[in-house]
Coordinates of all heavy atoms in Angstrom, one line a residue:
M1 N -40.0 -1.7 13.8 CA -39.3 -2.1 15.0 C -38.2 -3.1 14.6 O -38.4 -4.0 13.9 CB -40.3 -2.7 16.0 CG -39.9 -2.6 17.4 SD -40.9 -3.4 18.7 CE -42.6 -2.8 18.2
S2 N -37.0 -2.9 15.2 CA -35.9 -3.7 14.8 C -36.0 -5.1 15.5 O -36.7 -5.2 16.5 CB -34.6 -3.1 15.3 OG -34.4 -3.2 16.7
K3 N -35.4 -6.1 15.0 CA -35.4 -7.4 15.5 C -34.8 -7.5 16.9 O -35.3 -8.2 17.8 CB -34.6 -8.4 14.6 CG -35.5 -9.5 14.0 CD -34.6 -10.4 13.2 CE -35.6 -11.5 12.7 NZ -35.0 -12.4 11.8
N4 N -33.7 -6.7 17.1 CA -33.1 -6.7 18.4 C -34.0 -6.1 19.5 O -34.0 -6.6 20.6 CB -31.8 -5.9 18.4 CG -30.7 -6.7 17.7 OD1 -30.7 -7.9 17.6 ND2 -29.7 -5.9 17.2
Y5 N -34.8 -5.1 19.1 CA -35.7 -4.5 20.1 C -36.8 -5.5 20.4 O -37.2 -5.6 21.5 CB -36.3 -3.2 19.5 CG -37.2 -2.5 20.6 CD1 -36.6 -1.8 21.6 CD2 -38.6 -2.7 20.5 CE1 -37.4 -1.2 22.6 CE2 -39.4 -2.1 21.5 CZ -38.8 -1.4 22.5 OH -39.6 -0.8 23.5
Q6 N -37.3 -6.2 19.4 CA -38.3 -7.3 19.7 C -37.8 -8.3 20.6 O -38.5 -8.8 21.5 CB -38.8 -7.9 18.3 CG -39.6 -6.9 17.5 CD -40.0 -7.5 16.2 OE1 -39.3 -8.3 15.6 NE2 -41.1 -7.0 15.6
K7 N -36.5 -8.7 20.5 CA -35.9 -9.7 21.4 C -35.9 -9.1 22.8 O -36.2 -9.8 23.7 CB -34.5 -10.1 20.9 CG -34.5 -10.9 19.7 CD -33.0 -11.2 19.3 CE -32.9 -11.9 18.0 NZ -31.5 -12.1 17.6
L8 N -35.4 -7.9 22.9 CA -35.4 -7.2 24.2 C -36.7 -7.2 24.9 O -36.9 -7.5 26.0 CB -34.8 -5.8 24.1 CG -34.6 -5.0 25.4 CD1 -33.7 -5.7 26.3 CD2 -34.2 -3.6 25.1
E9 N -37.7 -6.8 24.1 CA -39.1 -6.7 24.6 C -39.6 -8.1 25.0 O -40.2 -8.2 26.1 CB -40.0 -6.2 23.5 CG -41.3 -5.7 24.0 CD -42.1 -5.0 22.9 OE1 -42.4 -5.6 21.9 OE2 -42.4 -3.8 23.1
D10 N -39.2 -9.1 24.3 CA -39.6 -10.5 24.7 C -39.0 -10.9 26.0 O -39.6 -11.5 26.8 CB -39.2 -11.5 23.6 CG -39.6 -12.9 23.9 OD1 -40.7 -13.1 24.4 OD2 -38.8 -13.8 23.6
V11 N -37.7 -10.5 26.2 CA -37.0 -10.9 27.5 C -37.6 -10.0 28.6 O -38.0 -10.6 29.7 CB -35.5 -10.7 27.3 CG1 -34.8 -10.9 28.6 CG2 -35.0 -11.7 26.3
I12 N -37.5 -8.7 28.5 CA -37.9 -7.8 29.6 C -39.4 -7.9 29.9 O -39.8 -7.8 31.0 CB -37.6 -6.3 29.3 CG1 -36.1 -6.2 29.1 CG2 -38.1 -5.4 30.3 CD1 -35.2 -6.5 30.3
G13 N -40.2 -8.2 28.9 CA -41.7 -8.3 29.1 C -42.1 -9.6 29.7 O -43.3 -9.8 30.0
C14 N -41.2 -10.5 29.8 CA -41.5 -11.8 30.4 C -41.0 -12.0 31.8 O -39.8 -11.9 32.0 CB -41.0 -12.9 29.5 SG -41.2 -14.6 30.2
K15 N -41.9 -12.1 32.8 CA -41.4 -12.2 34.2 C -40.5 -13.4 34.4 O -39.6 -13.4 35.2 CB -42.6 -12.2 35.1 CG -43.4 -13.5 35.1 CD -44.5 -13.5 36.2 CE -45.2 -14.8 36.2 NZ -46.2 -14.8 37.3
W16 N -40.8 -14.4 33.6 CA -39.9 -15.6 33.8 C -38.5 -15.4 33.3 O -37.6 -15.9 33.9 CB -40.6 -16.8 33.1 CG -41.9 -17.2 33.6 CD1 -43.1 -17.3 32.9 CD2 -42.3 -17.5 35.0 NE1 -44.1 -17.6 33.7 CE2 -43.7 -17.8 35.0 CE3 -41.6 -17.6 36.2 CZ2 -44.4 -18.1 36.2 CZ3 -42.3 -17.9 37.3 CH2 -43.6 -18.2 37.3
S17 N -38.4 -14.7 32.2 CA -37.0 -14.5 31.6 C -36.2 -13.7 32.6 O -35.0 -14.0 32.9 CB -37.1 -13.7 30.3 OG -37.6 -14.6 29.3
V18 N -36.8 -12.7 33.2 CA -36.0 -11.8 34.1 C -35.7 -12.7 35.4 O -34.6 -12.6 35.9 CB -36.9 -10.6 34.5 CG1 -36.2 -9.8 35.6 CG2 -37.0 -9.7 33.3
S19 N -36.6 -13.5 35.9 CA -36.4 -14.3 37.0 C -35.3 -15.3 36.7 O -34.4 -15.5 37.6 CB -37.6 -15.1 37.4 OG -38.6 -14.2 37.8
V20 N -35.2 -15.9 35.6 CA -34.2 -16.9 35.2 C -32.8 -16.2 35.1 O -31.9 -16.7 35.7 CB -34.5 -17.5 33.8 CG1 -33.3 -18.3 33.3 CG2 -35.7 -18.5 34.0
L21 N -32.8 -15.0 34.5 CA -31.5 -14.3 34.4 C -31.0 -13.9 35.8 O -29.8 -14.1 36.0 CB -31.7 -13.0 33.5 CG -31.9 -13.2 32.0 CD1 -32.3 -11.9 31.4 CD2 -30.6 -13.8 31.4
L22 N -31.8 -13.4 36.6 CA -31.4 -13.0 38.0 C -31.0 -14.2 38.8 O -30.0 -14.1 39.6 CB -32.5 -12.2 38.7 CG -32.8 -10.9 38.1 CD1 -34.0 -10.2 38.8 CD2 -31.6 -9.9 38.1
A23 N -31.6 -15.3 38.7 CA -31.3 -16.5 39.4 C -29.9 -17.0 38.9 O -29.1 -17.4 39.8 CB -32.3 -17.6 39.3
I24 N -29.7 -17.0 37.6 CA -28.4 -17.5 37.1 C -27.3 -16.6 37.5 O -26.2 -17.0 37.9 CB -28.5 -17.7 35.6 CG1 -29.4 -18.9 35.3 CG2 -27.1 -17.9 35.0 CD1 -29.7 -19.1 33.8
E25 N -27.6 -15.3 37.6 CA -26.6 -14.3 38.0 C -26.2 -14.6 39.5 O -25.1 -14.4 39.9 CB -27.1 -12.9 37.8 CG -26.1 -11.8 38.0 CD -25.8 -11.3 39.4 OE1 -26.8 -11.4 40.2 OE2 -24.7 -10.9 39.7
A26 N -27.2 -15.1 40.3 CA -27.0 -15.4 41.7 C -26.3 -16.7 41.9 O -26.1 -17.1 43.0 CB -28.3 -15.3 42.4
G27 N -26.0 -17.5 40.8 CA -25.3 -18.7 40.9 C -26.2 -20.0 40.9 O -25.7 -21.1 41.0
I28 N -27.4 -19.8 40.7 CA -28.4 -20.9 40.5 C -28.4 -21.2 39.0 O -29.1 -20.6 38.3 CB -29.7 -20.6 41.1 CG1 -29.6 -20.2 42.5 CG2 -30.7 -21.7 40.9 CD1 -30.8 -19.5 43.1
N29 N -27.6 -22.3 38.6 CA -27.4 -22.4 37.2 C -27.8 -23.7 36.6 O -27.5 -24.0 35.4 CB -25.9 -22.2 36.9 CG -25.0 -23.1 37.7 OD1 -25.5 -24.0 38.4 ND2 -23.7 -23.0 37.5
R30 N -28.4 -24.6 37.3 CA -28.9 -25.9 36.8 C -30.4 -25.9 36.7 O -31.1 -25.4 37.6 CB -28.3 -27.0 37.6 CG -26.8 -27.1 37.6 CD -26.2 -28.2 38.4 NE -26.6 -29.5 37.8 CZ -26.3 -30.6 38.4 NH1 -25.8 -30.7 39.6 NH2 -26.7 -31.7 37.8
P31 N -30.9 -26.5 35.6 CA -32.4 -26.5 35.4 C -33.2 -26.9 36.7 O -34.2 -26.2 37.0 CB -32.6 -27.4 34.3 CG -31.3 -27.3 33.5 CD -30.2 -27.2 34.5
G32 N -32.8 -28.0 37.3 CA -33.6 -28.4 38.5 C -33.5 -27.4 39.6 O -34.5 -27.2 40.3
M33 N -32.4 -26.9 39.8 CA -32.2 -25.8 40.9 C -33.1 -24.6 40.5 O -33.7 -24.0 41.4 CB -30.7 -25.4 41.0 CG -29.8 -26.5 41.6 SD -28.1 -26.1 41.4 CE -27.9 -24.6 42.2
L34 N -33.0 -24.2 39.3 CA -33.8 -23.1 38.8 C -35.3 -23.3 39.0 O -36.0 -22.4 39.5 CB -33.5 -22.7 37.4 CG -32.2 -22.1 37.0 CD1 -31.8 -22.3 35.6 CD2 -32.1 -20.7 37.5
E35 N -35.8 -24.5 38.7 CA -37.2 -24.8 38.8 C -37.6 -24.7 40.3 O -38.7 -24.2 40.6 CB -37.5 -26.2 38.2 CG -38.9 -26.5 38.1 CD -39.2 -27.8 37.5 OE1 -38.3 -28.5 36.9 OE2 -40.4 -28.2 37.5
R36 N -36.8 -25.2 41.2 CA -37.1 -25.1 42.6 C -37.0 -23.7 43.2 O -37.7 -23.3 44.1 CB -36.2 -26.1 43.4 CG -36.5 -27.5 43.2 CD -35.7 -28.4 44.1 NE -34.3 -28.5 43.9 CZ -33.7 -29.2 42.9 NH1 -34.4 -30.0 42.1 NH2 -32.4 -29.2 42.7
H37 N -36.1 -22.9 42.6 CA -35.8 -21.6 43.1 C -36.9 -20.6 42.7 O -37.3 -19.7 43.4 CB -34.4 -21.1 42.7 CG -34.1 -19.7 43.1 ND1 -33.7 -19.4 44.4 CD2 -34.1 -18.5 42.4 CE1 -33.5 -18.1 44.4 NE2 -33.7 -17.5 43.3
I38 N -37.3 -20.7 41.4 CA -38.3 -19.7 40.9 C -39.7 -20.2 41.1 O -40.2 -21.1 40.5 CB -38.0 -19.5 39.3 CG1 -36.6 -19.0 39.1 CG2 -39.0 -18.5 38.8 CD1 -36.1 -19.1 37.7
D39 N -40.3 -19.5 42.1 CA -41.7 -19.9 42.5 C -42.7 -19.8 41.4 O -42.8 -18.8 40.7 CB -42.1 -19.0 43.7 CG -43.3 -19.6 44.4 OD1 -43.4 -20.8 44.5 OD2 -44.1 -18.7 44.8
G40 N -43.4 -20.9 41.1 CA -44.4 -20.9 40.1 C -44.1 -21.3 38.7 O -45.0 -21.4 37.8
I41 N -42.8 -21.4 38.4 CA -42.4 -21.7 37.0 C -42.5 -23.2 36.8 O -42.2 -24.0 37.6 CB -41.0 -21.2 36.7 CG1 -40.7 -21.2 35.2 CG2 -39.9 -22.0 37.4 CD1 -39.5 -20.4 34.7
S42 N -43.0 -23.6 35.6 CA -43.1 -25.0 35.3 C -41.9 -25.4 34.5 O -41.2 -24.6 34.0 CB -44.4 -25.2 34.4 OG -44.2 -24.7 33.1
A43 N -41.6 -26.7 34.5 CA -40.5 -27.3 33.8 C -40.5 -26.9 32.3 O -39.5 -26.6 31.7 CB -40.4 -28.8 33.9
K44 N -41.7 -26.9 31.7 CA -41.9 -26.6 30.3 C -41.6 -25.1 30.0 O -40.8 -24.8 29.1 CB -43.4 -26.9 29.9 CG -43.7 -26.5 28.4 CD -45.1 -26.8 28.1 CE -45.4 -26.3 26.7 NZ -46.8 -26.3 26.3
V45 N -42.1 -24.2 30.8 CA -41.8 -22.8 30.6 C -40.3 -22.5 30.9 O -39.7 -21.8 30.1 CB -42.7 -21.9 31.6 CG1 -42.2 -20.5 31.5 CG2 -44.1 -22.0 31.1
L46 N -39.7 -23.1 31.9 CA -38.3 -22.9 32.2 C -37.5 -23.4 31.0 O -36.6 -22.7 30.6 CB -37.9 -23.7 33.5 CG -36.4 -23.7 33.8 CD1 -35.9 -22.2 34.0 CD2 -36.1 -24.5 35.0
S47 N -37.8 -24.6 30.5 CA -37.0 -25.1 29.3 C -37.1 -24.1 28.1 O -36.1 -23.9 27.5 CB -37.6 -26.5 29.0 OG -36.9 -27.0 27.8
E48 N -38.3 -23.6 27.9 CA -38.5 -22.7 26.8 C -37.7 -21.4 27.0 O -37.1 -20.9 26.1 CB -40.0 -22.3 26.6 CG -40.3 -21.3 25.6 CD -41.7 -20.7 25.8 OE1 -42.7 -21.4 25.4 OE2 -41.8 -19.6 26.2
R49 N -37.8 -20.9 28.2 CA -37.0 -19.6 28.5 C -35.5 -19.8 28.4 O -34.8 -19.0 27.8 CB -37.4 -19.1 29.9 CG -38.8 -18.6 30.0 CD -39.0 -17.2 29.3 NE -39.5 -17.4 27.9 CZ -39.5 -16.5 27.0 NH1 -39.1 -15.3 27.2 NH2 -40.0 -16.7 25.8
L50 N -35.0 -20.9 28.9 CA -33.6 -21.2 28.8 C -33.2 -21.3 27.3 O -32.1 -20.8 26.9 CB -33.2 -22.5 29.5 CG -33.3 -22.4 31.1 CD1 -33.2 -23.8 31.7 CD2 -32.2 -21.5 31.6
R51 N -34.0 -22.0 26.5 CA -33.7 -22.1 25.1 C -33.7 -20.7 24.4 O -32.7 -20.4 23.7 CB -34.7 -23.1 24.4 CG -34.4 -23.4 23.0 CD -35.3 -24.5 22.4 NE -36.7 -24.4 22.8 CZ -37.3 -25.1 23.7 NH1 -36.7 -26.1 24.3 NH2 -38.6 -25.0 23.9
K52 N -34.7 -19.9 24.7 CA -34.8 -18.6 24.0 C -33.6 -17.7 24.5 O -33.0 -17.0 23.7 CB -36.1 -17.9 24.3 CG -37.2 -18.3 23.3 CD -38.2 -17.2 23.2 CE -39.1 -17.6 22.1 NZ -40.1 -16.7 21.8
L53 N -33.4 -17.7 25.8 CA -32.3 -16.8 26.3 C -30.9 -17.2 25.7 O -30.1 -16.4 25.5 CB -32.3 -16.8 27.8 CG -33.5 -16.2 28.5 CD1 -33.6 -16.5 30.0 CD2 -33.6 -14.7 28.2
T54 N -30.8 -18.5 25.5 CA -29.5 -19.0 24.9 C -29.5 -18.6 23.4 O -28.4 -18.1 22.9 CB -29.4 -20.5 25.0 OG1 -29.5 -20.9 26.4 CG2 -28.1 -21.1 24.4
V55 N -30.6 -18.7 22.7 CA -30.6 -18.3 21.3 C -30.4 -16.8 21.2 O -29.7 -16.3 20.2 CB -32.0 -18.7 20.6 CG1 -32.2 -18.0 19.3 CG2 -32.1 -20.2 20.5
Y56 N -30.9 -16.0 22.1 CA -30.7 -14.6 22.1 C -29.3 -14.1 22.5 O -29.0 -13.0 22.4 CB -31.7 -13.9 23.0 CG -33.2 -13.9 22.6 CD1 -34.2 -13.6 23.4 CD2 -33.6 -14.4 21.3 CE1 -35.5 -13.6 23.0 CE2 -34.9 -14.4 20.9 CZ -35.9 -14.0 21.8 OH -37.2 -14.0 21.4
G57 N -28.5 -15.1 22.9 CA -27.1 -14.7 23.2 C -26.9 -14.2 24.6 O -25.9 -13.6 24.9
L58 N -27.9 -14.4 25.5 CA -27.8 -13.9 26.9 C -27.3 -15.0 27.8 O -26.8 -14.7 28.9 CB -29.2 -13.5 27.4 CG -29.8 -12.3 26.5 CD1 -31.2 -12.1 27.0 CD2 -29.0 -11.1 26.7
L59 N -27.5 -16.3 27.4 CA -27.0 -17.4 28.2 C -26.1 -18.3 27.4 O -26.3 -18.4 26.2 CB -28.2 -18.2 28.8 CG -29.1 -17.6 29.8 CD1 -30.2 -18.6 30.2 CD2 -28.4 -17.1 31.0
E60 N -25.3 -19.0 28.1 CA -24.5 -20.0 27.4 C -24.7 -21.4 28.1 O -24.8 -21.4 29.3 CB -23.0 -19.7 27.5 CG -22.1 -20.6 26.7 CD -20.7 -20.1 26.6 OE1 -20.3 -19.0 27.2 OE2 -19.8 -20.8 26.0
K61 N -25.0 -22.4 27.3 CA -25.3 -23.7 27.8 C -24.1 -24.6 27.9 O -23.4 -24.6 26.9 CB -26.4 -24.4 27.0 CG -26.8 -25.7 27.4 CD -27.9 -26.3 26.5 CE -28.3 -27.7 26.9 NZ -29.4 -28.2 26.1
H62 N -23.9 -25.2 29.0 CA -22.7 -26.1 29.2 C -23.3 -27.5 29.5 O -23.9 -27.7 30.5 CB -21.8 -25.6 30.3 CG -21.3 -24.2 30.1 ND1 -20.3 -23.8 29.4 CD2 -21.9 -23.1 30.6 CE1 -20.1 -22.5 29.4 NE2 -21.1 -22.0 30.2
S63 N -23.0 -28.5 28.6 CA -23.4 -29.8 28.9 C -22.2 -30.7 29.2 O -21.2 -30.6 28.5 CB -24.1 -30.4 27.6 OG -25.3 -29.7 27.4
F64 N -22.4 -31.5 30.3 CA -21.3 -32.3 30.7 C -21.7 -33.8 30.5 O -22.7 -34.2 30.9 CB -21.0 -32.1 32.2 CG -20.6 -30.7 32.5 CD1 -21.6 -29.7 32.8 CD2 -19.3 -30.3 32.5 CE1 -21.3 -28.4 33.1 CE2 -18.9 -29.0 32.7 CZ -19.9 -28.0 33.0
A65 N -20.7 -34.5 29.9 CA -21.0 -35.9 29.5 C -20.7 -36.8 30.8 O -19.7 -37.4 30.9 CB -20.1 -36.4 28.4
E66 N -21.6 -36.7 31.7 CA -21.5 -37.5 33.0 C -22.7 -38.4 33.1 O -23.7 -38.2 32.4 CB -21.5 -36.5 34.2 CG -20.3 -35.5 34.1 CD -20.4 -34.5 35.3 OE1 -21.5 -34.4 35.9 OE2 -19.4 -33.8 35.5
I67 N -22.7 -39.3 34.1 CA -23.8 -40.1 34.4 C -24.2 -39.8 35.8 O -23.5 -40.0 36.7 CB -23.6 -41.6 34.2 CG1 -23.1 -41.8 32.7 CG2 -24.7 -42.4 34.6 CD1 -23.1 -43.1 32.2
P68 N -25.4 -39.2 36.0 CA -26.4 -38.7 35.0 C -25.8 -37.4 34.4 O -25.0 -36.7 34.9 CB -27.6 -38.4 35.9 CG -27.1 -38.1 37.2 CD -25.8 -38.9 37.4
P69 N -26.3 -37.1 33.2 CA -25.9 -35.9 32.4 C -26.2 -34.7 33.2 O -27.2 -34.6 34.0 CB -26.7 -35.9 31.1 CG -27.3 -37.3 31.1 CD -27.4 -37.9 32.4
R70 N -25.3 -33.7 33.1 CA -25.4 -32.5 33.8 C -25.4 -31.3 32.8 O -24.6 -31.3 31.9 CB -24.3 -32.3 34.9 CG -24.3 -31.1 35.6 CD -23.3 -31.1 36.8 NE -21.9 -31.4 36.3 CZ -20.9 -30.6 36.3 NH1 -21.1 -29.3 36.7 NH2 -19.7 -31.0 35.9
T71 N -26.3 -30.3 33.0 CA -26.3 -29.1 32.2 C -26.3 -27.9 33.1 O -27.0 -27.9 34.2 CB -27.6 -29.1 31.4 OG1 -27.7 -30.2 30.5 CG2 -27.7 -27.9 30.5
E72 N -25.5 -26.9 32.8 CA -25.4 -25.7 33.5 C -25.5 -24.5 32.6 O -25.1 -24.7 31.4 CB -24.1 -25.6 34.3 CG -24.0 -26.6 35.4 CD -22.7 -26.5 36.2 OE1 -21.8 -25.7 35.9 OE2 -22.6 -27.3 37.2
Y73 N -26.0 -23.4 33.0 CA -26.1 -22.2 32.2 C -25.3 -21.1 32.9 O -25.3 -21.0 34.1 CB -27.6 -21.8 32.1 CG -28.4 -22.7 31.2 CD1 -29.0 -23.9 31.8 CD2 -28.5 -22.5 29.9 CE1 -29.7 -24.7 31.0 CE2 -29.2 -23.4 29.1 CZ -29.8 -24.5 29.6 OH -30.5 -25.3 28.8
T74 N -24.7 -20.3 32.1 CA -24.0 -19.1 32.6 C -24.4 -17.9 31.7 O -24.8 -18.0 30.6 CB -22.4 -19.2 32.5 OG1 -22.1 -19.6 31.2 CG2 -21.9 -20.3 33.5
L75 N -24.2 -16.7 32.3 CA -24.5 -15.5 31.6 C -23.4 -15.2 30.6 O -22.2 -15.4 30.9 CB -24.7 -14.3 32.5 CG -25.9 -14.3 33.5 CD1 -25.7 -13.2 34.5 CD2 -27.2 -14.2 32.7
T76 N -23.7 -14.8 29.4 CA -22.7 -14.3 28.5 C -22.4 -12.8 28.9 O -23.0 -12.2 29.8 CB -23.3 -14.3 27.0 OG1 -24.4 -13.4 27.0 CG2 -23.7 -15.7 26.6
V77 N -21.5 -12.2 28.2 CA -21.2 -10.8 28.4 C -22.4 -9.9 28.2 O -22.7 -9.1 29.1 CB -20.0 -10.3 27.5 CG1 -19.8 -8.8 27.6 CG2 -18.7 -11.1 27.9
L78 N -23.2 -10.2 27.2 CA -24.4 -9.5 26.9 C -25.4 -9.7 28.0 O -26.1 -8.8 28.5 CB -25.0 -9.9 25.5 CG -26.2 -9.2 25.0 CD1 -25.9 -7.7 24.9 CD2 -26.6 -9.8 23.7
G79 N -25.5 -11.0 28.5 CA -26.4 -11.3 29.6 C -26.1 -10.6 30.8 O -27.0 -10.1 31.6
K80 N -24.8 -10.5 31.1 CA -24.3 -9.7 32.3 C -24.7 -8.2 32.2 O -25.1 -7.6 33.2 CB -22.8 -9.9 32.5 CG -22.4 -11.3 33.0 CD -20.9 -11.4 33.1 CE -20.6 -12.9 33.4 NZ -19.1 -13.1 33.4
K81 N -24.5 -7.7 31.0 CA -24.9 -6.3 30.8 C -26.4 -6.1 31.1 O -26.8 -5.1 31.7 CB -24.5 -5.8 29.4 CG -23.1 -5.6 29.2 CD -22.8 -5.2 27.8 CE -21.3 -5.1 27.5 NZ -21.0 -4.7 26.2
L82 N -27.2 -7.0 30.5 CA -28.7 -6.8 30.7 C -29.1 -7.0 32.2 O -29.9 -6.2 32.7 CB -29.4 -7.9 29.8 CG -30.9 -7.8 29.9 CD1 -31.4 -6.4 29.5 CD2 -31.6 -8.8 29.0
V83 N -28.5 -7.9 32.9 CA -28.8 -8.1 34.3 C -28.4 -6.9 35.1 O -29.2 -6.4 36.0 CB -28.1 -9.4 34.9 CG1 -28.1 -9.4 36.4 CG2 -28.7 -10.6 34.3
S84 N -27.3 -6.2 34.7 CA -26.9 -5.0 35.4 C -28.0 -3.9 35.2 O -28.3 -3.2 36.1 CB -25.5 -4.5 34.8 OG -25.2 -3.3 35.4
I85 N -28.5 -3.8 34.0 CA -29.5 -2.8 33.7 C -30.8 -3.1 34.4 O -31.4 -2.3 35.0 CB -29.8 -2.8 32.1 CG1 -28.6 -2.2 31.4 CG2 -31.1 -1.9 31.8 CD1 -28.6 -2.3 29.9
I86 N -31.2 -4.4 34.5 CA -32.4 -4.8 35.2 C -32.2 -4.5 36.7 O -33.1 -4.0 37.3 CB -32.6 -6.3 35.1 CG1 -33.1 -6.6 33.6 CG2 -33.7 -6.8 36.0 CD1 -33.0 -8.1 33.2
Q87 N -31.0 -4.7 37.3 CA -30.8 -4.4 38.7 C -30.8 -2.9 38.9 O -31.3 -2.4 39.9 CB -29.4 -5.0 39.1 CG -29.5 -6.5 39.2 CD -28.1 -7.1 39.4 OE1 -27.1 -6.6 39.0 NE2 -28.1 -8.3 40.0
Q88 N -30.3 -2.1 38.0 CA -30.4 -0.6 38.1 C -31.8 -0.1 38.1 O -32.2 0.7 38.8 CB -29.6 0.0 37.0 CG -28.1 -0.1 37.1 CD -27.3 0.4 35.9 OE1 -27.8 1.3 35.2 NE2 -26.2 -0.2 35.6
I89 N -32.7 -0.7 37.2 CA -34.1 -0.4 37.2 C -34.8 -0.7 38.5 O -35.5 0.0 39.0 CB -34.8 -1.1 36.0 CG1 -34.3 -0.5 34.6 CG2 -36.3 -0.9 36.0 CD1 -34.6 -1.3 33.4
H90 N -34.4 -1.9 39.0 CA -35.0 -2.3 40.3 C -34.6 -1.3 41.4 O -35.4 -0.9 42.2 CB -34.5 -3.7 40.7 CG -35.0 -4.2 42.0 ND1 -36.3 -4.5 42.2 CD2 -34.4 -4.4 43.2 CE1 -36.5 -4.9 43.5 NE2 -35.3 -4.8 44.1
E91 N -33.3 -0.9 41.4 CA -32.9 0.1 42.4 C -33.6 1.4 42.2 O -34.0 2.0 43.2 CB -31.4 0.3 42.2 CG -30.5 -0.8 42.7 CD -29.0 -0.6 42.5 OE1 -28.6 0.5 42.3 OE2 -28.3 -1.7 42.4
L92 N -33.8 1.9 41.0 CA -34.6 3.1 40.8 C -36.0 3.0 41.3 O -36.5 3.9 42.0 CB -34.7 3.4 39.3 CG -33.4 4.0 38.6 CD1 -33.6 4.1 37.1 CD2 -33.2 5.4 39.2
D93 N -36.6 1.8 41.1 CA -38.0 1.6 41.6 C -38.0 1.6 43.1 O -38.9 2.2 43.7 CB -38.5 0.3 41.0 CG -39.9 0.0 41.4 OD1 -40.8 0.9 41.3 OD2 -40.2 -1.1 41.9
T94 N -37.0 0.9 43.7 CA -36.9 0.8 45.2 C -36.7 2.2 45.7 O -37.3 2.6 46.7 CB -35.8 -0.1 45.6 OG1 -36.0 -1.4 45.0 CG2 -35.7 -0.2 47.1
N95 N -35.8 3.0 45.1 CA -35.5 4.4 45.6 C -36.7 5.3 45.5 O -37.0 6.1 46.3 CB -34.3 4.9 44.9 CG -33.0 4.2 45.3 OD1 -32.9 3.6 46.4 ND2 -32.0 4.3 44.5
S96 N -37.5 5.1 44.4 CA -38.6 6.0 44.2 C -39.7 5.7 45.1 O -40.4 6.6 45.6 CB -39.1 6.0 42.7 OG -39.8 4.8 42.5
T97 N -39.9 4.4 45.5 CA -40.9 4.1 46.5 C -40.5 4.5 47.9 O -41.4 4.8 48.8 CB -41.3 2.6 46.4 OG1 -40.2 1.8 46.6 CG2 -42.0 2.3 45.1
D98 N -39.2 4.5 48.2 CA -38.7 4.9 49.5 C -38.9 6.4 49.7 O -39.0 6.8 50.9 CB -37.2 4.6 49.6 CG -37.0 3.1 49.8 OD1 -37.9 2.4 50.0 OD2 -35.8 2.7 49.6
T99 N -38.9 7.2 48.7 CA -39.0 8.7 48.8 C -40.4 9.2 48.9 O -40.7 10.3 49.2 CB -38.3 9.4 47.7 OG1 -38.8 9.0 46.4 CG2 -36.8 9.1 47.7
H100 N -41.4 8.3 48.6 CA -42.8 8.7 48.6 C -43.5 8.3 49.9 O -43.4 7.4 50.5 CB -43.6 8.1 47.4 CG -43.2 8.8 46.2 ND1 -42.2 8.3 45.3 CD2 -43.6 10.0 45.6 CE1 -42.1 9.1 44.3 NE2 -42.9 10.1 44.4

């Protein structure tokens, strides 16, 4: 199995990663906002997911030298492509349950 496939499996197989990507795509881009928006995620898990998604090239971290310090995350081009695929899969699932 290729390394890229293992990364993809790690992201798609983790409900938190998908939730984080979708929330950031929706404009919720600061850690505190994400923690409040994503029901059930802990600060520790959120921090780990943000770090991994950044390392995988799906998110870009922006730190602002302000008081208090501010950090925001945005989707990279690759992250936007993956979110689009996730949304298409969600639409397929929605459409298949509507027809049954």
Side-chain angles (χ1 to χ4, degrees):
M1 205 182 313
S2 77
K3 242 183 178 174
N4 286 336
Y5 185 80
Q6 288 174 335
K7 288 178 188 177
L8 178 64
E9 195 174 60
D10 182 39
V11 172
I12 299 297
C14 174
K15 71 175 182 176
W16 299 123
S17 292
V18 172
S19 296
V20 168
L21 289 170
L22 293 176
I24 290 173
E25 195 273 333
I28 302 162
N29 60 0
R30 295 180 68 188
M33 292 168 57
L34 288 163
E35 190 177 350
R36 287 187 293 279
H37 178 77
I38 301 170
D39 193 36
I41 196 167
S42 68
K44 179 183 176 190
V45 170
L46 176 61
S47 178
E48 173 195 288
R49 290 288 96 195
L50 289 169
R51 187 171 43 255
K52 273 206 170 180
L53 293 169
T54 302
V55 168
Y56 289 170
L58 300 171
L59 295 180
E60 190 172 358
K61 180 179 179 178
H62 306 276
S63 297
F64 300 90
E66 300 174 347
I67 300 195
R70 177 171 54 111
T71 302
E72 294 180 355
Y73 291 85
T74 56
L75 293 170
T76 63
V77 171
L78 186 60
K80 289 177 185 177
K81 287 179 183 179
L82 182 57
V83 166
S84 175
I85 292 167
I86 291 167
Q87 290 171 331
Q88 289 173 30
I89 292 168
H90 178 72
E91 287 173 23
L92 283 172
D93 184 48
T94 302
N95 290 340
S96 74
T97 55
D98 288 347
T99 59
H100 288 96

